[in-house]
Amino acid sequence: LLHRAQRIYNRWIKHGAFLQVNISGKNVEEITYFFRTSHSIDKAPENLFDNVYHEIYNLLASDSFRRFTRFA
């Protein structure tokens, strides 16, 4: 689970990631802190990305998604 979480972090959350998503700095910092301090942890907590999930879900549920599909 830690390896998969690290891949998600590197691909979508880490500052400068190729496919970086636009999430709050607070969420980025919390997850970055976990990976900077988790050297002796064998697995990532199951709720590591919960706040990010809810943030992205709320953005899509708002007007943003409807505007996107209207122009797509």
Side-chain angles (χ1 to χ4, degrees):
L1 191 57
L2 182 62
H3 180 68
R4 290 177 65 193
Q6 183 74 48
R7 284 193 342 230
I8 291 169
Y9 171 74
N10 288 335
R11 180 176 274 178
W12 288 294
I13 297 174
K14 185 177 180 179
H15 179 70
F18 181 68
L19 299 172
Q20 186 176 2
V21 293
N22 186 17
I23 57 173
S24 69
K26 180 183 178 215
N27 280 331
V28 173
E29 288 194 20
E30 286 177 0
I31 294 171
T32 299
Y33 179 79
F34 169 80
F35 284 108
R36 285 187 180 161
T37 61
S38 66
H39 302 294
S40 63
I41 299 174
D42 292 334
K43 64 179 187 173
E46 291 181 17
N47 66 344
L48 180 63
F49 298 109
D50 283 359
N51 289 338
V52 172
Y53 168 82
H54 291 292
E55 182 177 353
I56 291 171
Y57 180 86
N58 288 333
L59 287 171
L60 290 173
S62 70
D63 189 48
S64 300
F65 183 69
R66 283 179 273 172
R67 284 187 292 146
F68 172 76
T69 57
R70 185 174 60 201
F71 294 110

